[in-house]
Amino acid sequence: MNGTSAEPGTAASDAGPPGLPVASGSETARELWRLSRGYRLRLAATGVLGIVSTGVDLIVSVVIGFLVDRVQAGTADLTTVLTATAVMALSAVLGAAGTALTIVLATRVYHSILAALREQLVDDAMTLPQHLVERVGTGDLISRSSDDVTAVADAAPAVIPVLTVTAFTIVVSLGGLAALEWPYAAAFAVVLPVYVLAVRWYLRIGLGVYRAERTAMSARAQQILESQRGYATVLGFGLAEQRHRAVMTNSWRVARQTLRARTVLSMLNARLNLGECLSLAAVLVVGFVLVDHDASTVGGATTAMLLVLRLLGPVNQLLLVIDTLQSALASLSRMIGVVTIPRGSPDVPAQAASTDVRLDEVSFRYGEGPRVLDDITLGIPSGQRVAVVGVSGAGKTTLAGVVAGTHLPEAGRVTRPSRTAMITQEVHVFAGTLRDNLTLAAPGATDHDLRAALEATGAASILDVLPDRLDTLLGVGGYPLTDAQAQQLALARLLLTDAELVILDEATAEAGSTYAGHLDRAADAVLAGRTAVVVAHRLSQAATCDRIMVMERGRIIETGTHGELIDAGGVYAGLWTAWEAAR
């Protein structure tokens, strides 16, 4: 329904809160292989086309070597030159066309797989256990579904052409060297470990560096998001400077990680330059020895050098985008980390066969802090409405979160119905039409159902002031709703879910006393016939419930009906007296 509020906690450490899991290389490969189902034949055809195109493109080097030998032998004439020129032009055109088509096909497959992954990421992110999202913070999840998706998508134009050309060029060039004279291939193969070790070093170091950079970005996003969401609190308590320092600290951490990534890239550049120098030197020396012993021709040595130069060009291009590739791989592993989170954790509250709610010896604490709930045992029969009251800090909101599954107890067992919905006092109006806001809870609801829900919660009058009624845009840039109207909308949305258990955590507290009666009546309509837990801000709302529980320091100290607790003359009676006096 609406986002739930975490209890106040301590400030994040310098390392930041633990984030969502990051997929390993093998997990990423397995998930990509699964997502490629349906595209594998197309990928195979793309590979064949790429090899053929690259092979055709390398004909130019062979023809130049042929011309060098004919010129040296004195047998070259105008026909030879024109024929060689025509062959080179044709091979260049066909090779370029084939390479372009290969890149187009590879890009289409890439974006199709990425679209499937993005859809699965959104689907899985929306069904993550609430307690998990609350623990790691929403900043990490937002960063993965925005920054990381963007990084992977933006990498396509730079990475795919270079990767495609480089992979096929290496394969075909090595084959061409071996077919020309095996010593040329052997000379390059001797130097090849320099490239292999350089890339292996970078893959070992670089991926961790980029993951650290992305993690730092997530921590920064979390700090910015918390500052925005708690804007009123920040101003009210004079915390602007403190929040500014927190954002700046995380921003400098991002800068340090980014600088570290660029340093690693420069070190890779030096290693690859060494490999390039050794490759050219090795082929030149071998060519000189072979020509000197009449084992090869000058044209053959020329062809070998051109093939090596042809090979080094794509490798250098790869160098220019390898940081983008590593960043994209780091983002990809973070996206797949969300997709591969196991569902159905045994810690999730058990689903009751009926609409009863049961807590057995439940305890809970935030992090390493003191217990907020201490050995709570209670049962709520089907259809009963229970109010939870107590002074601030008694544990009311935490108890509601444990029942809803937002918080997992450190001890004990929670049993609740499968269809459970919760509204907190921080109701949210989504950017979209009024119809969109309501059908989020019931996608199959008709306009008649939507109007009935609005009427039941006393919100039908909203339609009269909206210029386009159900089609009126709300949220950012749309028609502004008052706090009371937003809460009525949230209650109507909850009514449409037809939940078996409804939890209201001071869900009608923000509208003030002017609209208190309207919202209490709307809440009554939503709770009618349902099992309910109501964290009551106004004791008048608690008095209408079937049973009232009074909490103090994480324990239930009184329970009974309104009349029974008044007659007992305990804590609730004192709260009621103070409430009546304030009214």
Side-chain angles (χ1 to χ4, degrees):
M1 292 300 303
N2 294 290
T4 56
S5 300
E7 293 282 343
T10 58
S13 65
D14 185 64
L20 295 167
V22 177
S24 64
S26 58
E27 289 174 332
T28 301
R30 282 196 301 270
E31 186 63 22
L32 289 178
W33 177 252
R34 186 189 66 79
L35 290 170
S36 69
R37 189 179 298 119
Y39 301 100
R40 293 170 190 167
L41 184 60
R42 198 183 308 177
L43 283 171
T46 301
V48 171
L49 176 61
I51 291 176
V52 172
S53 300
T54 306
V56 170
D57 201 30
L58 294 182
I59 291 176
V60 174
S61 302
V62 177
V63 172
I64 291 175
F66 168 77
L67 274 178
V68 169
D69 284 339
R70 294 295 296 269
V71 170
Q72 188 179 28
T75 59
D77 54 17
L78 181 60
T79 302
T80 304
V81 173
L82 292 177
T83 302
T85 302
V87 170
M88 287 190 292
L90 181 61
S91 65
V93 171
L94 293 178
T99 300
L101 182 58
T102 301
I103 293 172
V104 169
L105 294 176
T107 302
R108 286 185 176 179
V109 174
Y110 175 92
H111 279 292
S112 297
I113 295 175
L114 178 60
L117 176 59
R118 184 189 295 116
E119 291 176 1
Q120 186 172 346
L121 172 65
V122 173
D123 288 343
D124 290 351
M126 296 299 292
T127 59
L128 284 176
Q130 287 184 325
H131 65 86
L132 178 61
V133 178
E134 289 283 344
R135 186 177 75 245
V136 304
T138 53
D140 190 17
L141 186 58
I142 291 174
S143 177
R144 295 186 189 219
S145 57
S146 57
D147 293 341
D148 289 329
V149 171
T150 301
V152 176
D154 290 348
V159 171
I160 290 181
V162 175
L163 276 183
T164 304
V165 172
T166 300
F168 298 137
T169 299
I170 290 175
V171 172
V172 175
S173 296
L174 289 176
L177 285 173
L180 182 65
E181 295 286 350
W182 70 264
Y184 292 122
F188 187 80
V190 169
V191 182
L192 194 59
V194 175
Y195 291 97
V196 174
L197 291 174
V199 174
R200 184 178 178 182
W201 168 83
Y202 182 72
L203 293 177
R204 187 180 73 252
I205 301 297
L207 188 58
V209 170
Y210 281 104
R211 282 181 178 174
E213 183 183 26
R214 290 295 174 189
T215 300
M217 289 179 177
S218 294
R220 180 181 61 183
Q222 180 68 28
Q223 293 294 335
I224 294 174
L225 186 65
E226 288 178 356
S227 297
Q228 291 175 336
R229 284 184 171 178
Y231 180 72
T233 302
V234 170
L235 291 183
F237 286 88
L239 301 176
E241 183 61 28
Q242 178 184 340
R243 297 308 307 167
H244 175 72
R245 287 197 303 268
V247 172
M248 288 300 296
T249 298
N250 283 274
S251 297
W252 276 113
R253 187 178 296 116
V254 172
R256 288 195 298 270
Q257 293 296 341
T258 301
L259 182 60
R260 182 184 173 203
R262 297 303 172 266
T263 302
V264 170
L265 180 63
S266 297
M267 295 171 68
L268 173 66
N269 190 8
R271 286 168 168 80
L272 292 181
N273 285 340
L274 174 63
E276 180 177 346
C277 179
L278 294 176
S279 299
L280 293 173
V283 173
L284 276 174
V285 170
V286 169
F288 175 80
V289 173
L290 291 178
V291 172
D292 187 55
H293 290 78
D294 295 328
S296 181
T297 63
V298 175
T302 301
T303 299
M305 284 298 298
L306 290 174
L307 290 177
V308 172
L309 289 172
R310 172 68 177 167
L311 180 61
L312 294 177
V315 171
N316 289 334
Q317 289 181 332
L318 178 62
L319 170 63
L320 298 177
V321 300
I322 200 165
D323 60 325
T324 305
L325 175 62
Q326 282 291 88
S327 180
L329 288 176
S331 295
L332 187 63
S333 64
R334 283 164 49 82
M335 293 169 61
I336 291 177
V338 176
V339 172
T340 55
I341 293 176
R343 297 302 192 269
S345 168
D347 294 327
V348 172
Q351 307 302 318
S354 65
T355 56
D356 295 349
V357 177
R358 181 75 187 174
L359 276 71
D360 297 304
E361 300 178 346
V362 168
S363 298
F364 178 84
R365 74 179 76 220
Y366 292 97
E368 301 299 324
R371 281 189 174 182
V372 183
L373 298 181
D374 190 5
D375 198 23
I376 298 288
T377 295
L378 67 90
I380 304 175
S382 176
Q384 187 177 84
R385 188 185 308 182
V386 174
V388 183
V389 301
V391 299
S392 178
K396 307 184 298 297
T397 291
T398 302
L399 178 63
V402 168
V403 174
T406 302
H407 306 311
L408 293 184
E410 67 171 2
R413 177 179 174 85
V414 180
T415 306
R416 61 173 171 81
S418 57
R419 296 205 311 274
T420 298
M422 180 179 184
I423 296 183
T424 71
Q425 62 185 14
E426 295 180 359
V427 297
H428 184 71
V429 178
F430 294 89
T433 64
L434 174 60
R435 180 185 288 104
D436 294 335
N437 270 269
L438 292 172
T439 53
L440 282 172
T446 64
D447 286 0
H448 179 269
D449 297 330
L450 303 184
R451 293 189 184 94
L454 291 172
E455 290 175 2
T457 55
S461 59
I462 294 178
L463 291 175
D464 298 331
V465 299
L466 297 181
D468 297 315
R469 300 181 70 78
L470 287 174
D471 293 318
T472 302
L473 289 175
L474 305 178
V476 179
Y479 188 90
L481 297 182
T482 66
D483 290 340
Q485 290 172 333
Q487 288 172 328
Q488 286 177 308
L489 175 60
L491 289 169
R493 190 188 296 146
L494 188 149
L495 186 62
L496 288 166
T497 66
D498 195 24
E500 298 167 320
L501 170 62
V502 173
I503 302 168
L504 301 183
D505 182 10
E506 299 185 355
T508 61
E510 289 296 319
S513 59
T514 305
Y515 299 97
H518 296 291
L519 291 175
D520 284 346
R521 287 190 292 273
D524 287 340
V526 171
L527 301 180
R530 293 182 173 84
T531 309
V533 175
V534 180
V535 177
H537 174 73
R538 293 185 296 275
L539 293 188
S540 58
Q541 188 180 29
T544 63
C545 292
D546 301 315
R547 182 157 57 109
I548 300 171
M549 296 187 303
V550 182
M551 294 193 67
E552 185 176 281
R553 297 181 179 180
R555 289 179 173 271
I556 298 174
I557 59 172
E558 292 181 4
T559 182
T561 65
H562 174 73
E564 291 171 347
L565 294 178
I566 293 294
D567 293 339
V571 173
Y572 179 78
L575 292 173
W576 180 259
T577 300
W579 166 259
E580 288 284 273
R583 294 176 67 188

